[in-house]
Amino acid sequence: MLFDKSRHKPLTESHWDQNVVQSEISSIINDIQHSLSADACWPTHPQDAQSYPRSGPKWSAYAGAAGTIHALQLLDGYGYNVIDLSGALENVYQSFLKNPDVCVEPGLQIGELGILMPAILKKLDDAQLARRVLRCMEDTIALPLYEITSGQSGMMHAALALYRKTGENCWKEVFVKGATSLMDNWLLDTKTGEWLWQSQVFGPKRHYYGACHGVVGNANILLQGADLLPDNYPELIIKRTLITLNIAAKKAGNFTNWPLCTKPKIDKLLVQWCHGAAGIVTAMARTPKIDSCTSNQLDQLLVQTAELVWQAGPLNKGSNICHGTAGNGYAFLYMYRRTGQAVWLERARKFAMHAIEQCQKARAHYGQGRFTLWTGDAGLAIYLVHCLNPQHAAIPGLDLF
């Protein structure tokens, strides 16, 4: 087996219903807005509380107030009636510095940058805020991380977004510095032939493959900003990544998945955004199409990987993006955007209906919503919007700011 059946559920029998989807988006927005506390945060969900060493409010982009405020910004941009809480971000930032979710760090998902990004998106001409953001970005470059959560590639997503929005050279320059750090530390394993980064995120030294901490997550952002890098980079990056994926792949019939990491070798086969097949698809489906044998091989691999996501089905862990049904559903939306084939959109919408049921059941079970971007209902709401409008599909807080 290429996945652990105990981690997945049978898919709902409910059919796609646009009215149900719109109703759930409104319900999530209402729940978020009515549950806001006076100090600009939300009740920590019991499932998120298990992941953090300290109790109390969470502030980060990943599972805290900043991510929820950013989600509301995005929903406002799609025309939903939401309260603009951007003015609360300074309080969120100061609260984080005094009592951080984990520790005070500069990174995107659990650090300062993820809190400052939704603030600067509302004030692109704020020079003092820009200096704060740039300082956080610079502080990630020398870290031995090479991944999304706290490292260079997460910072580069933010820098590239700001450069595309403003055209200001400071964002381009810090993106290029991050890319240089990634390329300088992307090393060939002479024993296996793989091209790997060694990441020390969360302490242990590991060589991951997936979208959050691994090879494809880094390759993705390098390719998205390839126009800012030397001309030979796109084909080089695609070639190295595909070589590595092919060497490490676990295959059965027309399905493909990857282990968590190598060195140390951890053969756990997950099918999530953060680790495994779903994230491999979302990271690599954005790869520019190049008329080459390598590009054709990538397309074949993406189909086999996305088929495994469908075969595995929705996740037990909930409806969220990072390690839940919405994150896996994004694999189908990205395949739809890459291929135009209706089957992928149909599958994404099927997962949406399942995720709605999961969200409703969890809300009833815990007596509260899960008010977060990456692990909860705020991210689900944006996924549902993207199932209604697949031409806009992009993972929020990473591919979409």
Side-chain angles (χ1 to χ4, degrees):
M1 290 297 296
L2 296 182
F3 63 93
D4 182 349
K5 284 187 175 182
S6 68
R7 292 178 176 270
H8 297 266
K9 291 178 176 288
L11 188 60
T12 181
E13 295 182 0
S14 299
H15 297 290
W16 171 253
D17 187 324
Q18 183 170 325
N19 293 328
V20 171
V21 173
Q22 290 284 21
S23 176
E24 183 62 19
I25 295 168
S26 296
S27 177
I28 290 172
I29 291 172
N30 290 336
D31 193 24
I32 289 171
Q33 295 185 157
H34 291 149
S35 301
L36 176 66
S37 68
D39 55 352
C41 67
W42 284 266
T44 300
H45 195 273
Q47 290 175 291
D48 289 318
Q50 294 174 6
S51 303
Y52 290 90
R54 67 160 188 82
S55 60
K58 305 295 180 287
W59 309 107
S60 68
Y62 181 74
T68 310
I69 293 171
H70 187 203
L72 292 176
Q73 289 178 344
L74 294 171
L75 290 164
D76 177 68
Y78 288 124
Y80 290 89
N81 184 23
V82 300
I83 300 171
D84 183 4
L85 297 174
S86 304
L89 285 164
E90 179 62 23
N91 180 66
V92 170
Y93 181 63
Q94 296 302 328
S95 297
F96 169 83
L97 295 179
K98 293 175 184 175
N99 199 11
D101 300 25
V102 179
C103 64
V104 175
E105 59 138 276
L108 179 65
Q109 287 194 328
I110 57 175
E112 294 176 73
L113 182 56
I115 300 171
L116 295 173
M117 272 302 289
I120 198 170
L121 289 169
K122 296 292 286 189
K123 296 180 179 180
L124 289 170
D125 59 350
D126 188 322
Q128 181 179 2
L129 188 53
R131 286 193 292 272
R132 274 187 187 175
V133 172
L134 197 58
R135 188 264 306 162
C136 287
M137 291 179 174
E138 295 275 4
D139 285 351
T140 70
I141 292 170
L143 297 175
L145 302 178
Y146 318 111
E147 53 85 64
I148 296 292
T149 308
S150 303
Q152 295 83 347
S153 48
M155 172 277 285
M156 290 165 65
H157 276 277
L160 186 63
L162 290 175
Y163 177 66
R164 300 294 192 214
K165 290 176 185 292
T166 69
E168 293 181 7
N169 277 333
C170 63
W171 310 123
K172 174 182 176 179
E173 289 168 1
V174 75
F175 176 89
V176 172
K177 288 180 182 178
T180 301
S181 177
L182 287 185
M183 295 302 291
D184 287 349
N185 289 279
W186 197 5
L187 304 178
L188 175 65
D189 184 329
T190 56
K191 292 183 179 179
T192 66
E194 298 169 278
W195 287 88
L196 300 167
W197 281 276
Q198 178 179 272
S199 174
Q200 290 181 246
V201 67
F202 309 132
K205 295 180 180 180
R206 291 178 178 172
H207 299 69
Y208 291 96
Y209 295 109
C212 191
H213 308 302
V215 173
V216 298
N218 294 345
N220 174 24
I221 190 56
L222 287 168
L223 290 167
Q224 298 322 305
D227 58 306
L228 310 182
L229 304 174
D231 291 342
N232 66 319
Y233 271 32
E235 192 149 6
L236 174 65
I237 294 163
I238 294 170
K239 183 177 180 180
R240 285 184 178 183
T241 305
L242 194 56
I243 286 171
T244 302
L245 290 178
N246 280 328
I247 290 171
K250 304 292 185 182
K251 293 178 177 284
N254 291 322
F255 304 114
T256 306
N257 199 5
W258 285 266
L260 190 74
C261 65
T262 184
K263 288 188 169 184
K265 191 172 182 63
I266 300 177
D267 283 326
K268 184 187 292 185
L269 292 169
L270 301 177
V271 185
Q272 302 174 178
W273 173 80
C274 51
H275 297 291
I280 300 287
V281 173
T282 60
M284 298 310 296
R286 302 179 77 220
T287 300
K289 291 199 173 188
I290 299 172
D291 187 17
S292 69
C293 177
T294 303
S295 187
N296 293 334
Q297 289 176 28
L298 175 60
D299 281 322
Q300 293 174 13
L301 192 63
L302 285 172
V303 170
Q304 294 172 359
T305 309
E307 288 289 354
L308 179 75
V309 179
W310 177 250
Q311 179 77 11
L315 283 150
N316 283 336
K317 283 191 171 183
S319 58
N320 65 81
I321 293 175
C322 183
H323 40 264
T325 300
N328 284 23
Y330 266 117
F332 306 135
L333 287 178
Y334 277 52
M335 287 297 289
Y336 175 69
R337 291 198 64 179
R338 185 173 181 87
T339 69
Q341 295 175 358
V343 63
W344 299 117
L345 179 56
E346 292 168 3
R347 290 177 174 182
R349 288 175 166 174
K350 192 74 172 178
F351 268 45
M353 299 305 295
H354 189 99
I356 288 171
E357 294 176 6
Q358 283 182 295
C359 181
Q360 292 173 345
K361 289 176 182 176
R363 194 181 298 135
H365 176 75
Y366 289 102
Q368 69 167 86
R370 197 170 183 179
F371 310 107
T372 64
L373 175 58
W374 281 93
T375 67
D377 306 347
L380 171 60
I382 296 170
Y383 173 66
L384 297 177
V385 171
H386 288 156
C387 284
L388 292 165
N389 305 279
Q391 71 275 17
H392 298 307
I395 293 178
L398 194 68
D399 297 336
L400 172 66
F401 282 101

